Amino acid sequence: MVYVLTGGPGFGKTALAEKLALKGYQIGPEIARVLIDEQLKKGGEILPWRNSREFERRVMESRIRFIQQIPDKEIAFADRGLPDQVAFSLYKGKPVSEPLAAAVKNHRYAETVFITPPWREIYTEDDIRKETFEEACRIHDWIVKAYREAGYHLVEIPKGSVDERVKFIADFVSSAI
């Protein structure tokens, strides 16, 4: 069973995923970020601002492979999921592609999705994350909408230390078993 960690850019998802990995959980990385980093390093063209269709396809296929590789009885976490791609498309004013809409419908995560709230104190920009805090908050709103429309139940992760937040998540999933 794959639980999604989501929320606006820079709100702490990846730190949580890294800590959950240290606890032994399998983690699906934030594949869009991985692909952007890889493409920038090698001067590639599969970037959302150069070849958005191919970028979407690669990210989508990677997310589907991760879902499919996790046995039903195992708990794993994905740093973002397919509905995040819907949210980013809508945020950018683009229609959701048919393959992506079908993927969201046909490849399901655990019903509960963990969402990090907007948190200015931990927000930082970097070489890949260039959105302002206000833009990250708007993206967050699209993410909430995309997951709700896809039929997921959002559970907000309380603000606190990474350890406190990871304990909240681990306690939640262990009580759901």
Side-chain angles (χ1 to χ4, degrees), residues 1-17:
M1 177 175 307
V2 179
Y3 287 89
V4 176
L5 303 172
T6 193
F11 297 164
K13 295 170 307 305
T14 302
L16 298 175

Side-chain angles (χ1 to χ4, degrees), residues 9-173:
F11 297 164
K13 295 170 307 305
T14 302
L16 298 175
E18 289 169 354
K19 191 71 159 196
L20 286 162
L22 293 174
K23 291 187 156 294
Y25 292 104
Q26 192 166 350
I27 304 295
E30 211 301 46
I31 191 63
R33 189 175 176 89
V34 170
L35 183 56
I36 290 170
D37 187 49
E38 171 189 288
Q39 291 295 305
L40 288 174
K41 284 180 181 170
K42 70 179 191 180
E45 295 293 315
I46 305 170
L47 294 161
W49 53 89
R50 289 199 185 130
N51 188 343
S52 61
R53 276 189 203 270
E54 182 61 15
F55 180 82
E56 177 184 277
R57 186 187 68 77
R58 293 249 185 122
V59 171
M60 180 180 66
E61 288 178 355
S62 180
R63 287 185 170 140
I64 291 168
R65 275 193 306 276
F66 182 72
I67 294 168
Q68 291 173 335
Q69 78 180 21
I70 303 299
D72 289 340
K73 301 223 185 283
E74 185 177 324
I75 293 175
F77 294 91
D79 187 342
R80 297 207 180 279
L82 293 163
D84 285 89
Q85 287 183 255
V86 168
F88 277 90
S89 287
L90 296 172
Y91 169 73
K92 292 175 182 175
K94 297 180 180 180
V96 177
S97 71
E98 287 183 31
L100 180 56
V104 169
K105 181 179 176 186
N106 297 322
H107 300 281
R108 302 294 293 175
Y109 299 96
E111 181 182 321
T112 297
V113 170
F114 294 100
I115 189 160
T116 56
W119 192 357
R120 186 178 293 277
E121 291 78 14
I122 67 169
Y123 180 79
T124 57
E125 295 176 28
D126 61 27
D127 290 341
I128 294 173
R129 182 186 314 116
K130 298 186 183 297
E131 299 89 1
T132 65
F133 179 76
E134 291 72 22
E135 289 168 328
C137 289
R138 285 194 293 280
I139 293 168
H140 179 85
D141 292 342
W142 281 108
I143 290 168
V144 167
K145 182 177 181 353
Y147 275 95
R148 286 190 175 143
E149 287 181 359
Y152 290 99
H153 172 70
L154 296 171
V155 171
E156 187 172 289
I157 303 166
K159 293 178 182 178
S161 71
V162 172
D163 287 335
E164 290 167 338
R165 299 173 101 198
V166 165
K167 182 178 181 335
F168 173 84
I169 295 165
D171 288 351
F172 191 100
V173 297

